């Protein structure tokens, strides 16, 4: 895939807060593990799961960076 | 003349009890009268007093400088110098009991005025820009306050006013110093400190004028007078009572080292708490991502792939069986067709006779002589001219004696007299 197509599922992931993204990720994993979803649905769910996981990572890395910046700003 | 008039006028004044503190008692041996200066306890005012020596001798306790006394005297004018003085005929020391009683009385008065009310007490500033200190010159009290404060906060700044902390001038000097420090914008707290001393020594600190001056201060005042047990009125009016100068030194400034340590620890704990939260969340996320459904999506496709494969197989099987069946059907049909089809018959030697217009000839009689006929044989076709029914023609009598037979044999097989092709083959 060349450019990142603005997939609606992915765009609203961007706006999610950390807890929301994590909870949705848990839900996606639960549904995937429950099985029974159609092929198309499973693929969509899996893609959404990946997007949510990336979002959570962004939040965590951002938080860690802010914390490091704050603590190294003036080493007490 | 004037002096005479004046002394005459003054002599009319009644005798009265005057209270004060003895200063400069001069008594020359052999003289019947002695001179002393009596200072007012509240204001900077003093009188010279003459007293008969015998009154002094009558005293149980010898009179000491600075003692609080009450004299019964009458104002007089010295004719020669024209100065006013008090001629005393009686002098009584103000006893300790008396002093205490008086302090107690004053305390009640001031208390009723609300000067000691708790709600007047102001909180000490956490970090004063400058600490005002009223204390004796180079006194132990000063050292105690300054050292203790410095130990807790080295950068503390003091505004020290060294004044008399006992004796007649104490009240005035302390009050003066207090007002000065109160006016200083930088001074955020004032400590009045004095080491231990007798009741008399500490008396100025229960003095009404001084107590009122402290009440009037806008800056919070810390009283640190004497030892733990001493409690002059100043303690009651001050915003904070420190038991000793050392205690005062500790109260007016925070222990900066301690505070800094507290702040550093708070920062560390906040950072640690956040880091542990981040670690926990990161582990949680890693666990989620490790779940097979996310980690190996191919597995997701397995059931579908299997299902598809299964379906395809079934489809194939279904198709194959259908084919087989179809093949069988065709086989049968072919068999039947073969059975029904003329070709086999022709193969057995028969032929299909058709007239020129294609109709199949079944009745010999239906064909007039000379008609063109098409004989379809197993192999190829023949053209033939019809001579008419076999029975009528001369070619008939050669093969058998059935000429008399008038039955129409045409319905029998064509070989009448010919051998049946099938029989030939069998």
């Amino acid at each position: 895939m060349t450019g990142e197509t603005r997939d609606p599922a992915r765009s609203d992931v961007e706006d999610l807060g950390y807890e929301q993204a994590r909870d949705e990720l848990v839900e996606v994993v639960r549904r995937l593990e429950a099985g029974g979803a159609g092929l198309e649905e499973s693929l969509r769910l899996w893609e959404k799961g990946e997007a949510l996981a990336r979002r959570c990572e962004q939040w965590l890395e951002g938080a860690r960076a802010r914390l490091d910046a704050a603590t190294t700003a003036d080493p007490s | 003349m004037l002096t005479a008039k004046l002394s005459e006028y003054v002599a009319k004044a009644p005798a009265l009890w005057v209270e004060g503190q003895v200063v400069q008692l001069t008594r020359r041996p052999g003289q019947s009268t002695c001179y002393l200066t009596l200072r007012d306890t509240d204001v900077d005012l003093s009188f010279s007093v003459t007293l008969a020596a015998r009154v002094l001798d009558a005293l149980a306790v010898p009179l000491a400088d600075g003692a609080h006394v009450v004299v019964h005297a009458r104002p007089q004018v010295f004719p020669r110098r024209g100065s006013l003085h008090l001629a005393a005929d009686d002098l009584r020391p103000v006893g300790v009991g008396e002093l205490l009683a008086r302090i107690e009385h004053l305390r009640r008065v001031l208390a009723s005025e609300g000067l000691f009310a708790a709600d007047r007490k102001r909180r000490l500033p956490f970090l004063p820009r400058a600490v005002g200190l009223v204390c004796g010159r180079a006194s132990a009290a000063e050292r105690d306050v300054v050292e203790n404060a410095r130990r807790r906060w080295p950068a503390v700044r003091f505004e020290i006013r060294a004044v008399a902390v006992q004796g007649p001038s104490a009240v005035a000097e302390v009050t003066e110093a207090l007002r000065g420090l109160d006016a200083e914008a930088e001074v955020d707290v004032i400590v009045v400190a004095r080491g231990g001393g007798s009741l008399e020594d500490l008396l100025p600190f229960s003095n009404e004028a001084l107590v009122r001056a402290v009440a009037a201060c806008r800056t919070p005042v810390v009283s640190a007078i004497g030892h733990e047990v001493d409690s002059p009125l100043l303690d009651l009016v001050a915003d904070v009572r420190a038991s000793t100068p050392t205690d005062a030194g500790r109260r007016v400034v925070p222990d900066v080292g301690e505070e800094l340590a507290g702040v550093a620890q708070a920062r560390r704990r906040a950072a640690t708490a956040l880091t542990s939260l981040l670690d926990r969340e990161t582990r949680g996320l890693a666990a989620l991502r490790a779940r097979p459904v996310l980690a190996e999506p191919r597995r997701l496709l397995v059931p579908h792939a299997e299902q598809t494969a299964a379906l395809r197989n079934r489809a194939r099987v279904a198709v194959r069986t259908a084919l087989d069946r179809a093949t069988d059907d065709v086989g049968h049909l072919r068999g039947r067709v073969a059975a029904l089809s003329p070709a086999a018959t022709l193969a057995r030697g028969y032929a299909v006779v058709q007239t020129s217009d294609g109709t199949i000839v079944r009745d010999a009689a239906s064909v007039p002589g000379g008609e063109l006929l098409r004989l379809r044989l197993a192999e190829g076709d023949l053209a033939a001219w019809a001579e008419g029914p076999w029975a009528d023609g001369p070619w008939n009598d050669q093969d058998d004696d059935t000429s008399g037979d008038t039955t129409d044999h045409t319905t029998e097989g064509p070989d009448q007299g010919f051998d049946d092709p099938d029989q030939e083959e069998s």
Side-chain angles (χ1 to χ4, degrees):
Chain A
M1 282 225 294
T2 51
E4 182 80 34
T5 53
R6 293 307 302 162
D7 161 12
R10 182 153 307 110
S11 64
D12 59 21
V13 167
E14 236 82 80
D15 317 332
L16 291 180
Y18 174 71
E19 273 68 24
Q20 287 166 315
R22 190 196 53 197
D23 295 346
E24 274 193 34
L25 179 55
V26 169
E27 177 55 20
V28 161
V29 169
R30 193 190 58 73
R31 278 173 60 184
L32 280 174
E33 285 184 339
L39 177 63
E40 182 51 34
E41 175 65 5
S42 307
L43 271 177
R44 199 187 60 74
L45 273 175
W46 177 76
E47 273 169 357
K48 174 138 197 199
E50 281 301 313
L52 286 166
R54 256 194 315 278
R55 184 76 190 108
C56 290
E57 246 165 22
Q58 281 163 6
W59 270 106
L60 288 175
E61 271 145 25
R64 204 173 288 282
R66 271 158 59 188
L67 178 61
D68 294 344
T71 43
T72 51
D74 44 14
S76 47
Chain B
M1 215 345 238
L2 174 63
T3 325
K5 276 270 184 281
L6 203 56
S7 67
E8 201 180 292
Y9 171 74
V10 159
K12 288 202 212 67
L16 43 91
W17 287 92
V18 176
E19 187 208 348
Q21 210 164 0
V22 171
V23 169
Q24 293 160 0
L25 174 61
T26 52
R27 182 178 174 185
R28 287 188 198 82
Q31 269 189 334
S32 64
T33 56
C34 55
Y35 303 90
L36 54 89
T37 313
L38 193 67
R39 264 179 62 72
D40 184 281
T41 51
D42 295 355
V43 286
D44 195 357
L45 187 71
S46 54
F47 267 98
S48 56
V49 175
T50 61
L51 183 65
R54 58 176 173 60
V55 171
L56 275 188
D57 303 336
L59 284 181
V61 174
L63 199 57
D65 231 7
H68 267 254
V69 294
V70 196
V71 289
H72 185 262
R74 183 193 302 285
Q76 259 180 9
V77 173
F78 268 131
R80 274 185 281 98
R81 275 188 280 134
S83 64
L84 179 68
H85 73 278
L86 290 175
D89 51 19
D90 190 358
L91 175 137
R92 266 194 224 116
V94 174
V96 169
E98 171 67 19
L99 284 179
L100 282 180
R102 196 160 315 125
I103 292 177
E104 182 48 28
H105 169 65
L106 177 59
R107 190 187 65 73
R108 267 201 301 283
V109 165
L110 296 179
S112 63
E113 284 179 29
L115 255 62
F116 304 151
D119 51 32
R120 282 175 52 85
K121 304 291 186 231
R122 283 175 293 253
R123 273 166 36 81
L124 297 189
F126 176 68
L127 209 58
R129 286 165 294 180
V131 177
L133 176 56
V134 177
C135 57
R137 234 163 251 98
S139 61
E142 173 184 350
R143 198 188 64 250
D144 287 349
V145 174
V146 171
E147 265 177 26
N148 280 285
R150 283 255 149 75
R151 202 169 299 133
R152 285 168 64 85
W153 180 27
V156 66
R157 192 161 66 84
F158 274 97
E159 284 288 337
I160 299 177
R161 296 291 183 272
V163 294
V165 284
Q166 66 188 44
S169 59
V171 171
E173 286 186 20
V174 169
T175 309
E176 184 52 35
L178 256 175
R179 289 215 177 80
L181 289 173
D182 190 24
E184 294 261 350
E186 291 286 310
V187 171
D188 294 336
V189 66
I190 300 173
V191 177
V192 181
R194 187 206 180 312
S198 68
L199 176 77
E200 210 129 56
D201 295 339
L202 303 185
L203 207 54
F205 298 99
S206 294
N207 173 281
E208 181 172 1
L210 177 54
V211 168
R212 287 192 187 286
V214 165
C217 273
R218 279 193 321 282
T219 318
V221 170
V222 175
S223 138
I225 305 301
H227 301 308
E228 184 69 39
V229 286
D230 300 322
S231 179
L233 294 189
L234 184 68
D235 282 359
L236 302 176
V237 70
D239 295 286
V240 167
R241 177 204 181 264
S243 53
T244 61
T246 302
D247 181 32
R250 288 208 189 96
R251 282 177 180 242
V252 283
V253 286
D255 185 330
V256 171
E258 215 175 84
E259 296 298 327
L260 281 179
V263 166
Q265 197 202 14
R267 284 175 61 141
R268 265 195 313 280
R269 281 175 43 198
T272 331
L274 198 52
T275 316
S276 60
L277 169 67
L278 279 179
D279 292 345
R280 207 170 46 251
E281 290 299 331
T282 311
R283 276 196 307 278
L285 184 61
L288 271 175
R289 298 198 78 155
R291 298 280 268 273
V293 281
L294 282 183
E296 300 136 12
R298 265 166 219 75
R299 289 169 53 103
L300 270 180
L301 306 182
V302 163
H304 300 285
E306 279 165 3
Q307 197 178 15
T308 319
L311 286 172
R312 194 177 56 229
N313 291 345
R314 279 171 43 204
R316 285 207 185 122
V317 164
V319 164
R320 197 167 296 120
T321 46
L323 267 176
D324 293 348
R325 207 176 309 113
T327 317
D328 292 349
D329 290 351
V330 163
H332 294 317
L333 287 174
R334 181 178 298 118
R336 285 179 51 221
V337 162
L340 295 170
S341 80
T345 317
L346 296 186
R348 291 206 308 277
Y350 293 91
V352 176
V353 180
Q354 286 177 305
T355 58
S356 54
D357 59 5
T359 54
I360 297 175
V361 173
R362 292 186 176 74
D363 175 0
S366 66
V367 175
E371 177 81 14
L372 173 70
L373 294 172
R374 179 178 179 187
L375 308 180
R376 302 180 70 149
L377 309 171
E379 305 291 338
D381 298 359
L382 269 178
W385 295 98
E387 295 296 334
W390 182 267
D392 300 352
W395 50 78
N396 186 23
D397 43 10
Q398 294 145 341
D399 35 351
D400 63 14
D401 56 0
T402 59
S403 57
D405 176 358
T406 58
T407 61
D408 178 355
H409 296 288
T410 54
T411 57
E412 284 170 5
D415 60 354
Q416 196 211 352
F418 282 47
D419 289 340
D420 183 344
D422 294 345
Q423 286 149 358
E424 284 165 12
E425 282 155 6
S426 60

